[in-house]
């Protein structure tokens, strides 16, 4: 029975993807595979068992996990939302600080300006 297995494989260069390619070319049952270096994604199609593909690719010496398991372990959307919330909080705090500083500056300016009666002419 033909299956598709998708893995996340830590690869930083063409040499890394070449190591993955070599082990997959030797694996029985593999009909085709695609190595996406940028996405660090390896897709294998064929009459293969997912665990066997994981073990075979791991033999390349690269950190390997099932794509879905990796996505659950590191939810990117949550991290992005947390960054957005942190940026919103920071911006709100900066606005509050700016509003607090402005009235204080206006008070200083008002104190520095003396009423006309206090000005002594020579």
């Amino acid at each position: 029975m033909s299956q598709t297995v998708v893995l996340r494989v830590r690869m930083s260069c063409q040499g890394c993807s070449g190591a993955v390619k070599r082990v997959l070319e030797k694996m029985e049952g593999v009909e085709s595979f695609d190595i996406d270096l940028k996405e660090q994604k390896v897709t294998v199609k064929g009459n293969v068992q997912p665990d066997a593909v994981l073990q075979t690719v791991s033999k390349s010496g690269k950190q390997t996990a099932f794509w879905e398991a990796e996505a659950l372990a590191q939810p990117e959307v949550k991290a992005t939302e947390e960054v957005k919330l942190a940026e919103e909080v920071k911006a709100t705090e900066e606005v509050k600080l700016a509003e607090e500083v402005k009235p204080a500056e206006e008070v200083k300016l008002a104190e520095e300006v003396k009423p006309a009666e206090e000005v002594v002419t020579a």
Side-chain angles (χ1 to χ4, degrees), residues 8-13 15-20 54 57-65:
R8 177 175 297 279
V9 183
R10 298 280 171 120
M11 301 174 287
S12 58
C13 65
C16 295
S17 61
V20 173
L54 180 71
V57 174
S58 294
K59 290 178 185 177
S60 69
K62 307 301 166 205
Q63 185 179 358
T64 306

Side-chain angles (χ1 to χ4, degrees), residues 31-42:
E31 296 169 4
S32 66
F33 59 87
D34 179 62
I35 300 172
D36 186 333
L37 182 60
K38 182 179 177 187
E39 295 292 322
Q40 298 192 16
K41 184 176 187 179
V42 176

